[in-house]
Amino acid sequence: MVSKIDDIYMEDYLSIARKIFEGTKYKASDEDVKKLADNMALLEKRGLNELNKRLINARKHAKIFETIAEHNFAVILVSHHSSTTPINYEPDIGLQRPPDFKVEKGDITYWIQMKDLQKLERENRQDKMIQQIKRAAKEVKVGKFFSCM
């Protein structure tokens, strides 16, 4: 049975979800808004409200879609693991850039880092260009010093 308090929270999540989508170019349907609100409630129940806060704040800058991807991934994680499986978002482990997720299953700890594939593709292209420049520079038959870092 859903309580009056749960209804109030859900209405808050619906309002927040609408505002999040309003900050993007994506034209969200009522179903999209409802799914996001449900996902936010699920993550809060599992102790991942920090990710909800990040999503709310991300609507103010360009990282909104990266944060939505992390949010969606977290929903998948909590949906596929029991409530007794510890899942942490950006755990404080003393690193400057912690992994995005830590999942503990029995004696095994999984560290999960999400990446923006567009950035990786761009970095790969740049690396290929630098390698091509280095190969071409080796062909030059003069005394030279050439270094790329």
Side-chain angles (χ1 to χ4, degrees), residues 51-133:
L51 191 49
N52 285 338
K53 291 176 188 174
R54 180 167 175 194
L55 182 61
I56 291 164
N57 292 330
R59 68 188 169 101
K60 300 172 186 165
H61 55 76
K63 294 193 180 256
I64 183 73
F65 291 109
E66 289 176 20
T67 307
I68 287 174
E70 288 181 347
H71 200 269
N72 288 341
F73 186 76
V75 169
I76 292 168
L77 278 177
V78 300
S79 297
H80 285 85
H81 293 88
S82 72
S83 59
T84 59
T85 301
I87 299 173
N88 302 95
Y89 175 69
E90 293 188 343
D92 185 12
I93 56 172
L95 297 175
Q96 184 178 354
R97 297 198 58 183
D100 291 321
F101 297 96
K102 176 185 177 186
V103 181
E104 298 177 63
K105 287 198 64 134
D107 294 339
I108 300 173
T109 300
Y110 296 92
W111 302 97
I112 302 168
Q113 181 68 43
M114 296 187 63
K115 291 291 181 189
D116 181 352
L117 294 179
Q118 287 181 339
K119 288 181 185 175
L120 292 176
E121 184 179 320
R122 185 172 46 251
E123 289 170 5
N124 286 341
R125 274 196 308 262
Q126 289 172 346
D127 187 51
K128 286 179 183 177
M129 285 189 278
I130 290 171
Q131 294 305 320
Q132 188 175 7
I133 291 168

Coordinates of all heavy atoms in Angstrom, one line a residue, residues 51-133:
L51 N 23.7 10.6 -6.4 CA 23.6 10.6 -7.8 C 22.4 11.4 -8.3 O 22.5 12.1 -9.3 CB 23.6 9.1 -8.4 CG 23.7 8.9 -9.8 CD1 24.9 9.7 -10.4 CD2 23.8 7.5 -10.1
N52 N 21.3 11.3 -7.5 CA 20.2 12.2 -7.8 C 20.5 13.6 -7.7 O 20.2 14.4 -8.6 CB 19.0 11.9 -6.9 CG 18.3 10.6 -7.2 OD1 18.4 10.1 -8.3 ND2 17.7 10.0 -6.2
K53 N 21.3 14.0 -6.7 CA 21.7 15.4 -6.5 C 22.6 15.8 -7.6 O 22.4 17.0 -8.1 CB 22.4 15.5 -5.2 CG 21.6 15.4 -3.9 CD 22.4 15.5 -2.7 CE 21.6 15.1 -1.4 NZ 22.4 15.1 -0.2
R54 N 23.5 15.0 -8.1 CA 24.3 15.3 -9.2 C 23.5 15.5 -10.4 O 23.8 16.5 -11.2 CB 25.4 14.2 -9.4 CG 26.3 14.6 -10.5 CD 27.5 13.8 -10.6 NE 28.2 14.2 -11.8 CZ 29.2 13.5 -12.4 NH1 29.6 12.4 -11.8 NH2 29.7 13.9 -13.5
L55 N 22.5 14.7 -10.7 CA 21.7 14.8 -11.8 C 20.9 16.2 -11.8 O 20.8 16.9 -12.8 CB 20.7 13.7 -11.9 CG 19.7 13.7 -13.1 CD1 20.5 13.6 -14.4 CD2 18.8 12.5 -13.1
I56 N 20.4 16.5 -10.6 CA 19.7 17.8 -10.5 C 20.6 19.0 -10.8 O 20.2 19.9 -11.5 CB 19.1 17.9 -9.1 CG1 17.9 16.9 -8.9 CG2 18.5 19.3 -8.8 CD1 17.5 16.6 -7.5
N57 N 21.8 18.9 -10.2 CA 22.8 20.0 -10.5 C 23.3 20.0 -11.9 O 23.7 21.0 -12.4 CB 23.9 19.9 -9.5 CG 23.4 20.2 -8.1 OD1 22.5 21.0 -7.9 ND2 24.1 19.6 -7.1
A58 N 23.4 18.8 -12.5 CA 24.0 18.7 -13.9 C 23.1 19.4 -14.9 O 23.6 19.8 -16.0 CB 24.2 17.3 -14.3
R59 N 21.8 19.6 -14.6 CA 20.9 20.2 -15.6 C 21.4 21.7 -15.9 O 20.9 22.3 -16.9 CB 19.5 20.1 -15.2 CG 19.1 21.0 -14.0 CD 17.7 20.6 -13.6 NE 17.4 21.2 -12.3 CZ 16.7 22.3 -12.1 NH1 16.2 23.0 -13.1 NH2 16.5 22.8 -10.9
K60 N 22.3 22.2 -15.1 CA 22.7 23.6 -15.2 C 24.0 23.7 -16.1 O 24.4 24.7 -16.4 CB 23.0 24.2 -13.9 CG 21.8 24.2 -13.0 CD 22.1 24.6 -11.6 CE 20.9 24.5 -10.7 NZ 21.2 24.6 -9.3
H61 N 24.5 22.5 -16.5 CA 25.7 22.6 -17.4 C 25.8 21.5 -18.4 O 24.8 20.7 -18.5 CB 27.0 22.6 -16.5 CG 27.1 21.4 -15.5 ND1 27.4 20.2 -15.9 CD2 26.9 21.4 -14.2 CE1 27.4 19.4 -14.9 NE2 27.1 20.1 -13.8
A62 N 26.8 21.4 -19.1 CA 26.9 20.5 -20.3 C 27.0 19.0 -20.0 O 26.9 18.2 -20.9 CB 28.1 21.0 -21.2
K63 N 27.3 18.7 -18.7 CA 27.5 17.3 -18.4 C 26.2 16.5 -18.1 O 26.2 15.4 -17.6 CB 28.4 17.1 -17.2 CG 29.8 17.6 -17.5 CD 30.8 17.2 -16.5 CE 32.2 17.7 -16.8 NZ 33.0 16.6 -17.3
I64 N 25.1 17.1 -18.5 CA 23.8 16.5 -18.2 C 23.7 15.1 -18.7 O 23.2 14.1 -18.0 CB 22.6 17.3 -18.6 CG1 21.3 16.7 -18.2 CG2 22.6 17.6 -20.1 CD1 20.9 16.8 -16.8
F65 N 24.1 14.8 -20.0 CA 23.9 13.5 -20.6 C 24.9 12.5 -20.0 O 24.5 11.3 -19.9 CB 23.9 13.6 -22.1 CG 22.7 14.3 -22.7 CD1 22.8 15.6 -23.2 CD2 21.5 13.8 -22.6 CE1 21.7 16.3 -23.7 CE2 20.3 14.4 -23.1 CZ 20.5 15.7 -23.6
E66 N 26.1 12.9 -19.6 CA 27.0 12.0 -19.0 C 26.4 11.6 -17.6 O 26.5 10.4 -17.3 CB 28.3 12.7 -18.7 CG 29.2 12.9 -19.9 CD 30.4 13.7 -19.6 OE1 30.9 13.7 -18.5 OE2 31.0 14.3 -20.6
T67 N 25.8 12.5 -16.9 CA 25.2 12.2 -15.6 C 23.9 11.3 -15.8 O 23.7 10.4 -15.0 CB 24.8 13.5 -14.9 OG1 26.0 14.3 -14.8 CG2 24.3 13.2 -13.5
I68 N 23.1 11.5 -16.9 CA 22.0 10.7 -17.1 C 22.5 9.3 -17.4 O 21.8 8.3 -17.0 CB 21.1 11.3 -18.3 CG1 20.4 12.5 -17.8 CG2 20.2 10.2 -18.8 CD1 19.6 13.2 -18.9
A69 N 23.6 9.1 -18.1 CA 24.1 7.8 -18.4 C 24.5 7.1 -17.1 O 24.2 5.9 -16.9 CB 25.3 7.9 -19.4
E70 N 25.2 7.8 -16.2 CA 25.5 7.2 -14.9 C 24.3 6.9 -14.1 O 24.2 5.8 -13.5 CB 26.4 8.2 -14.1 CG 27.8 8.3 -14.6 CD 28.6 9.3 -13.8 OE1 28.1 10.0 -13.0 OE2 29.9 9.3 -14.0
H71 N 23.3 7.7 -14.2 CA 22.0 7.5 -13.4 C 21.4 6.3 -13.9 O 20.9 5.4 -13.2 CB 21.2 8.8 -13.6 CG 20.1 8.9 -12.6 ND1 18.8 8.4 -12.8 CD2 20.1 9.5 -11.4 CE1 18.1 8.7 -11.7 NE2 18.8 9.3 -10.9
N72 N 21.3 6.1 -15.3 CA 20.6 5.0 -15.9 C 21.4 3.7 -15.5 O 20.8 2.6 -15.2 CB 20.5 5.1 -17.4 CG 19.5 6.1 -17.8 OD1 18.6 6.5 -17.0 ND2 19.6 6.6 -19.0
F73 N 22.7 3.8 -15.6 CA 23.5 2.6 -15.2 C 23.3 2.2 -13.8 O 23.2 1.0 -13.4 CB 25.0 2.9 -15.5 CG 25.9 1.7 -15.3 CD1 25.9 0.7 -16.2 CD2 26.7 1.6 -14.1 CE1 26.7 -0.4 -16.1 CE2 27.5 0.4 -14.0 CZ 27.5 -0.6 -14.9
A74 N 23.2 3.2 -12.9 CA 23.0 2.9 -11.5 C 21.6 2.2 -11.3 O 21.5 1.3 -10.5 CB 23.0 4.2 -10.6
V75 N 20.6 2.6 -12.0 CA 19.3 2.0 -11.9 C 19.4 0.5 -12.4 O 18.9 -0.4 -11.7 CB 18.3 2.7 -12.8 CG1 17.0 1.9 -13.0 CG2 18.0 4.1 -12.2
I76 N 20.2 0.2 -13.4 CA 20.4 -1.1 -13.9 C 21.1 -1.9 -12.8 O 20.7 -3.1 -12.5 CB 21.2 -1.2 -15.2 CG1 20.3 -0.6 -16.3 CG2 21.6 -2.6 -15.6 CD1 21.1 -0.3 -17.6
L77 N 22.2 -1.3 -12.2 CA 22.9 -2.0 -11.1 C 22.0 -2.4 -10.0 O 22.0 -3.6 -9.6 CB 24.0 -1.2 -10.6 CG 25.3 -1.1 -11.4 CD1 26.3 -0.2 -10.7 CD2 26.0 -2.5 -11.5
V78 N 21.2 -1.5 -9.5 CA 20.4 -1.8 -8.3 C 19.2 -2.7 -8.7 O 18.7 -3.5 -7.8 CB 19.8 -0.5 -7.6 CG1 21.0 0.3 -7.1 CG2 18.9 0.3 -8.5
S79 N 18.8 -2.7 -9.9 CA 17.7 -3.5 -10.4 C 18.1 -5.0 -10.5 O 17.3 -5.9 -10.4 CB 17.1 -3.1 -11.7 OG 16.6 -1.8 -11.6
H80 N 19.4 -5.2 -10.7 CA 19.9 -6.6 -11.0 C 20.6 -7.1 -9.7 O 21.2 -8.3 -9.8 CB 20.9 -6.6 -12.1 CG 20.2 -6.5 -13.5 ND1 19.8 -5.3 -14.0 CD2 19.8 -7.4 -14.3 CE1 19.2 -5.5 -15.2 NE2 19.2 -6.8 -15.4
H81 N 20.7 -6.4 -8.6 CA 21.3 -6.9 -7.4 C 20.3 -6.7 -6.2 O 19.5 -5.8 -6.2 CB 22.6 -6.1 -7.1 CG 23.6 -6.4 -8.1 ND1 23.8 -5.6 -9.3 CD2 24.6 -7.3 -8.2 CE1 24.8 -6.1 -10.0 NE2 25.3 -7.1 -9.4
S82 N 20.4 -7.7 -5.3 CA 19.5 -7.6 -4.2 C 19.9 -6.4 -3.3 O 20.9 -5.8 -3.4 CB 19.7 -8.9 -3.3 OG 20.9 -8.9 -2.6
S83 N 18.9 -6.0 -2.5 CA 19.1 -4.8 -1.6 C 20.2 -5.0 -0.6 O 20.7 -4.1 0.0 CB 17.8 -4.5 -0.9 OG 17.4 -5.5 -0.1
T84 N 20.7 -6.3 -0.4 CA 21.8 -6.5 0.5 C 23.2 -6.3 -0.2 O 24.2 -6.4 0.5 CB 21.7 -7.9 1.1 OG1 21.7 -8.9 0.0 CG2 20.4 -8.1 1.9
T85 N 23.2 -6.2 -1.5 CA 24.4 -6.0 -2.2 C 24.8 -4.5 -2.1 O 24.1 -3.7 -2.6 CB 24.3 -6.4 -3.7 OG1 23.9 -7.8 -3.8 CG2 25.6 -6.2 -4.4
P86 N 26.0 -4.2 -1.5 CA 26.4 -2.8 -1.3 C 26.8 -2.2 -2.7 O 27.6 -2.8 -3.4 CB 27.6 -2.9 -0.4 CG 27.5 -4.2 0.3 CD 26.8 -5.1 -0.7
I87 N 26.2 -1.1 -3.0 CA 26.6 -0.4 -4.3 C 26.8 1.1 -3.9 O 25.9 1.7 -3.2 CB 25.4 -0.5 -5.3 CG1 25.2 -1.9 -5.7 CG2 25.8 0.4 -6.5 CD1 24.0 -2.1 -6.6
N88 N 28.0 1.6 -4.2 CA 28.3 2.9 -3.8 C 28.6 3.7 -5.1 O 29.2 3.2 -6.0 CB 29.6 3.0 -2.9 CG 29.4 2.2 -1.7 OD1 29.8 1.0 -1.6 ND2 28.8 2.8 -0.7
Y89 N 28.3 5.0 -5.1 CA 28.6 5.9 -6.1 C 29.7 6.8 -5.7 O 29.7 7.4 -4.7 CB 27.3 6.8 -6.5 CG 27.6 7.8 -7.6 CD1 27.9 7.4 -8.9 CD2 27.6 9.2 -7.2 CE1 28.2 8.4 -9.8 CE2 27.9 10.1 -8.2 CZ 28.2 9.7 -9.5 OH 28.5 10.6 -10.5
E90 N 30.7 6.9 -6.6 CA 32.0 7.7 -6.3 C 32.4 7.5 -4.8 O 32.4 8.5 -4.1 CB 31.8 9.1 -6.7 CG 31.6 9.3 -8.2 CD 31.6 10.8 -8.6 OE1 31.4 11.7 -7.8 OE2 31.8 11.0 -9.8
P91 N 32.8 6.3 -4.5 CA 33.1 6.0 -3.1 C 34.4 6.8 -2.7 O 35.3 7.0 -3.5 CB 33.4 4.5 -3.0 CG 33.7 4.2 -4.5 CD 32.9 5.1 -5.3
D92 N 34.4 7.3 -1.5 CA 35.6 8.0 -1.0 C 36.7 7.0 -0.6 O 36.6 6.4 0.5 CB 35.2 8.9 0.2 CG 36.3 9.8 0.7 OD1 37.3 9.9 0.0 OD2 36.2 10.3 1.8
I93 N 37.6 6.8 -1.5 CA 38.7 5.8 -1.2 C 40.1 6.5 -1.2 O 41.1 5.8 -1.3 CB 38.6 4.6 -2.2 CG1 38.7 5.1 -3.6 CG2 37.4 3.8 -2.0 CD1 38.8 4.1 -4.7
G94 N 40.1 7.8 -1.1 CA 41.4 8.5 -1.0 C 42.0 8.8 -2.4 O 43.1 9.3 -2.4
L95 N 41.3 8.6 -3.5 CA 41.8 9.0 -4.8 C 41.3 10.3 -5.2 O 40.1 10.7 -4.9 CB 41.4 7.9 -5.8 CG 42.0 6.5 -5.6 CD1 41.4 5.5 -6.6 CD2 43.5 6.5 -5.6
Q96 N 42.0 11.0 -6.0 CA 41.6 12.3 -6.5 C 40.4 12.1 -7.4 O 39.4 12.9 -7.4 CB 42.7 13.0 -7.3 CG 42.3 14.4 -7.8 CD 43.5 15.0 -8.5 OE1 44.6 14.5 -8.6 NE2 43.2 16.2 -9.1
R97 N 40.4 11.1 -8.3 CA 39.3 10.8 -9.1 C 38.8 9.3 -8.8 O 39.3 8.4 -9.4 CB 39.7 10.9 -10.6 CG 40.1 12.4 -10.9 CD 40.0 12.6 -12.4 NE 38.7 12.3 -12.8 CZ 38.3 12.4 -14.1 NH1 39.2 12.8 -15.0 NH2 37.1 12.1 -14.5
P98 N 37.9 9.2 -7.9 CA 37.4 7.8 -7.6 C 36.7 7.2 -8.7 O 36.2 7.8 -9.6 CB 36.5 8.0 -6.4 CG 36.0 9.4 -6.6 CD 37.1 10.2 -7.3
P99 N 36.6 5.8 -8.7 CA 35.7 5.2 -9.7 C 34.3 5.6 -9.5 O 33.9 6.0 -8.5 CB 35.9 3.7 -9.4 CG 36.4 3.6 -8.0 CD 37.1 4.9 -7.8
D100 N 33.5 5.4 -10.6 CA 32.1 5.8 -10.5 C 31.3 4.9 -9.6 O 30.4 5.4 -8.8 CB 31.4 5.8 -11.9 CG 32.0 6.9 -12.8 OD1 32.2 8.0 -12.3 OD2 32.2 6.6 -14.0
F101 N 31.5 3.6 -9.6 CA 30.7 2.7 -8.8 C 31.6 1.7 -8.2 O 32.6 1.2 -8.7 CB 29.7 2.0 -9.6 CG 28.7 2.9 -10.2 CD1 28.8 3.4 -11.5 CD2 27.6 3.3 -9.5 CE1 27.9 4.2 -12.1 CE2 26.6 4.2 -10.1 CZ 26.8 4.7 -11.4
K102 N 31.2 1.3 -7.0 CA 31.8 0.1 -6.3 C 30.7 -0.8 -5.9 O 29.7 -0.4 -5.3 CB 32.5 0.6 -5.0 CG 33.1 -0.5 -4.1 CD 33.6 0.1 -2.8 CE 34.2 -1.0 -1.9 NZ 34.6 -0.5 -0.6
V103 N 30.8 -2.1 -6.4 CA 29.8 -3.1 -6.1 C 30.5 -4.2 -5.4 O 31.5 -4.7 -5.9 CB 29.1 -3.6 -7.4 CG1 28.1 -4.6 -7.1 CG2 28.5 -2.4 -8.2
E104 N 30.0 -4.6 -4.3 CA 30.5 -5.7 -3.5 C 29.6 -6.9 -3.5 O 28.5 -6.8 -3.1 CB 30.8 -5.3 -2.1 CG 31.8 -4.2 -1.9 CD 32.0 -3.7 -0.5 OE1 32.4 -4.5 0.3 OE2 31.6 -2.5 -0.2
K105 N 30.1 -8.0 -4.1 CA 29.3 -9.3 -4.2 C 30.2 -10.3 -3.5 O 31.2 -10.8 -4.0 CB 29.0 -9.7 -5.6 CG 28.0 -8.8 -6.2 CD 27.4 -9.4 -7.5 CE 26.7 -10.6 -7.1 NZ 25.4 -10.9 -7.6
G106 N 29.8 -10.7 -2.3 CA 30.5 -11.7 -1.5 C 31.9 -11.2 -1.3 O 32.1 -10.1 -0.7
D107 N 32.9 -12.0 -1.6 CA 34.3 -11.6 -1.4 C 34.9 -10.8 -2.6 O 36.1 -10.5 -2.6 CB 35.2 -12.9 -1.2 CG 34.8 -13.6 0.1 OD1 34.2 -13.0 1.0 OD2 35.1 -14.8 0.2
I108 N 34.1 -10.5 -3.6 CA 34.6 -9.8 -4.8 C 34.1 -8.4 -4.8 O 32.9 -8.1 -4.6 CB 34.2 -10.5 -6.1 CG1 34.7 -12.0 -6.1 CG2 34.6 -9.8 -7.3 CD1 34.2 -12.8 -7.2
T109 N 35.0 -7.4 -5.1 CA 34.7 -6.0 -5.2 C 34.8 -5.6 -6.6 O 35.9 -5.9 -7.2 CB 35.5 -5.1 -4.3 OG1 35.3 -5.5 -2.9 CG2 35.2 -3.7 -4.5
Y110 N 33.8 -5.0 -7.3 CA 33.9 -4.6 -8.6 C 34.0 -3.0 -8.6 O 33.2 -2.4 -8.0 CB 32.6 -5.0 -9.4 CG 32.5 -6.4 -9.6 CD1 31.7 -7.2 -8.6 CD2 33.0 -7.1 -10.6 CE1 31.6 -8.5 -8.8 CE2 32.9 -8.5 -10.8 CZ 32.1 -9.2 -9.8 OH 32.0 -10.6 -10.0
W111 N 35.0 -2.5 -9.3 CA 35.2 -1.1 -9.4 C 34.8 -0.7 -10.9 O 35.4 -1.3 -11.8 CB 36.6 -0.7 -9.2 CG 37.1 -1.1 -7.8 CD1 37.8 -2.2 -7.5 CD2 36.9 -0.3 -6.6 NE1 38.1 -2.2 -6.2 CE2 37.6 -1.1 -5.6 CE3 36.3 0.9 -6.3 CZ2 37.6 -0.6 -4.3 CZ3 36.3 1.3 -5.0 CH2 36.9 0.5 -4.0
I112 N 33.8 0.1 -11.0 CA 33.3 0.4 -12.4 C 33.5 1.9 -12.7 O 33.1 2.8 -11.9 CB 31.8 0.1 -12.5 CG1 31.6 -1.4 -12.1 CG2 31.3 0.4 -13.9 CD1 30.2 -1.8 -11.9
Q113 N 34.1 2.2 -13.8 CA 34.4 3.5 -14.3 C 33.7 3.7 -15.6 O 34.0 3.0 -16.6 CB 35.9 3.8 -14.4 CG 36.2 5.2 -14.8 CD 35.9 6.2 -13.8 OE1 36.1 6.0 -12.6 NE2 35.3 7.3 -14.2
M114 N 32.8 4.6 -15.7 CA 32.1 4.9 -17.0 C 33.0 5.9 -17.8 O 33.6 6.8 -17.2 CB 30.7 5.4 -16.8 CG 29.9 4.4 -16.1 SD 28.1 4.9 -16.0 CE 27.7 5.0 -17.7
K115 N 33.0 5.8 -19.1 CA 33.7 6.7 -20.0 C 32.8 7.2 -21.1 O 31.9 6.5 -21.5 CB 34.9 5.9 -20.6 CG 36.0 5.5 -19.7 CD 36.7 6.7 -19.2 CE 37.8 6.4 -18.2 NZ 38.4 7.5 -17.6
D116 N 33.2 8.4 -21.5 CA 32.5 9.1 -22.6 C 33.2 8.6 -23.8 O 34.4 9.0 -24.1 CB 32.6 10.6 -22.5 CG 31.9 11.3 -23.6 OD1 31.5 10.7 -24.6 OD2 31.8 12.5 -23.5
L117 N 32.6 7.7 -24.6 CA 33.3 7.1 -25.8 C 33.6 8.1 -26.8 O 34.6 7.9 -27.5 CB 32.4 6.0 -26.4 CG 32.2 4.8 -25.5 CD1 31.3 3.8 -26.2 CD2 33.5 4.2 -25.1
Q118 N 32.9 9.3 -26.9 CA 33.3 10.3 -27.9 C 34.7 10.8 -27.5 O 35.5 11.1 -28.4 CB 32.3 11.4 -27.9 CG 31.0 11.0 -28.6 CD 30.0 12.2 -28.6 OE1 30.1 13.1 -27.8 NE2 29.1 12.1 -29.5
K119 N 35.0 11.0 -26.2 CA 36.3 11.5 -25.8 C 37.3 10.5 -26.1 O 38.4 10.9 -26.6 CB 36.3 11.8 -24.3 CG 35.5 13.0 -23.9 CD 35.6 13.3 -22.4 CE 34.7 14.4 -22.0 NZ 34.7 14.6 -20.6
L120 N 37.1 9.2 -25.9 CA 38.0 8.2 -26.2 C 38.3 8.1 -27.7 O 39.5 8.0 -28.1 CB 37.5 6.8 -25.7 CG 37.4 6.6 -24.2 CD1 36.8 5.3 -23.9 CD2 38.8 6.8 -23.5
E121 N 37.3 8.3 -28.5 CA 37.5 8.3 -29.9 C 38.4 9.4 -30.4 O 39.3 9.3 -31.2 CB 36.2 8.3 -30.6 CG 36.2 8.2 -32.1 CD 34.9 8.3 -32.8 OE1 33.9 7.6 -32.2 OE2 34.7 8.9 -33.8
R122 N 38.1 10.6 -29.8 CA 38.9 11.8 -30.1 C 40.4 11.6 -29.7 O 41.3 11.9 -30.4 CB 38.3 13.0 -29.4 CG 39.0 14.3 -29.8 CD 38.2 15.5 -29.3 NE 37.8 15.5 -27.9 CZ 36.5 15.3 -27.5 NH1 35.6 15.2 -28.4 NH2 36.2 15.2 -26.2
E123 N 40.6 11.0 -28.5 CA 41.9 10.8 -28.0 C 42.6 9.8 -28.9 O 43.8 9.9 -29.2 CB 41.9 10.3 -26.5 CG 41.5 11.4 -25.6 CD 41.2 10.8 -24.2 OE1 41.4 9.6 -23.9 OE2 40.8 11.6 -23.3
N124 N 41.9 8.7 -29.3 CA 42.5 7.8 -30.3 C 43.0 8.4 -31.6 O 44.0 8.1 -32.1 CB 41.6 6.6 -30.5 CG 41.5 5.7 -29.3 OD1 42.3 5.6 -28.5 ND2 40.4 4.9 -29.3
R125 N 42.1 9.3 -32.1 CA 42.5 10.0 -33.3 C 43.7 10.8 -33.1 O 44.6 10.9 -34.0 CB 41.3 10.9 -33.8 CG 40.3 10.1 -34.7 CD 39.4 11.1 -35.4 NE 38.8 12.1 -34.6 CZ 37.6 12.0 -34.1 NH1 36.8 11.0 -34.3 NH2 37.1 13.0 -33.3
Q126 N 43.8 11.6 -32.0 CA 44.9 12.4 -31.7 C 46.2 11.6 -31.6 O 47.2 11.9 -32.1 CB 44.7 13.2 -30.4 CG 43.7 14.3 -30.6 CD 43.3 15.0 -29.3 OE1 43.6 14.5 -28.2 NE2 42.6 16.1 -29.4
D127 N 46.1 10.4 -30.9 CA 47.2 9.6 -30.7 C 47.7 9.0 -32.1 O 48.9 9.0 -32.3 CB 46.9 8.4 -29.8 CG 48.1 7.6 -29.5 OD1 49.1 8.1 -29.0 OD2 48.0 6.3 -29.6
K128 N 46.8 8.7 -33.0 CA 47.2 8.2 -34.3 C 47.9 9.3 -35.1 O 48.9 9.0 -35.8 CB 46.0 7.7 -35.1 CG 45.4 6.4 -34.6 CD 44.2 5.9 -35.4 CE 43.7 4.6 -34.8 NZ 42.5 4.2 -35.5
M129 N 47.4 10.6 -35.0 CA 48.1 11.7 -35.7 C 49.5 11.9 -35.1 O 50.4 12.1 -35.9 CB 47.2 12.9 -35.5 CG 46.0 13.0 -36.4 SD 45.2 14.6 -36.4 CE 44.2 14.5 -34.9
I130 N 49.6 11.8 -33.8 CA 51.0 12.0 -33.2 C 51.9 10.9 -33.7 O 53.1 11.1 -34.0 CB 50.9 12.1 -31.7 CG1 50.2 13.4 -31.3 CG2 52.2 11.9 -31.0 CD1 49.8 13.5 -29.8
Q131 N 51.4 9.7 -33.7 CA 52.2 8.5 -34.1 C 52.6 8.7 -35.6 O 53.8 8.4 -36.0 CB 51.5 7.2 -34.0 CG 51.2 6.8 -32.5 CD 52.5 6.8 -31.7 OE1 53.5 6.4 -32.1 NE2 52.4 7.3 -30.5
Q132 N 51.7 9.2 -36.4 CA 52.0 9.5 -37.8 C 53.1 10.6 -38.0 O 54.0 10.5 -38.8 CB 50.8 9.9 -38.6 CG 50.9 10.0 -40.1 CD 49.6 10.2 -40.8 OE1 48.6 10.4 -40.1 NE2 49.6 10.2 -42.1
I133 N 53.0 11.6 -37.1 CA 54.0 12.7 -37.1 C 55.3 12.2 -36.7 O 56.4 12.5 -37.3 CB 53.5 13.9 -36.2 CG1 52.3 14.6 -36.8 CG2 54.7 14.8 -36.0 CD1 51.6 15.5 -35.9

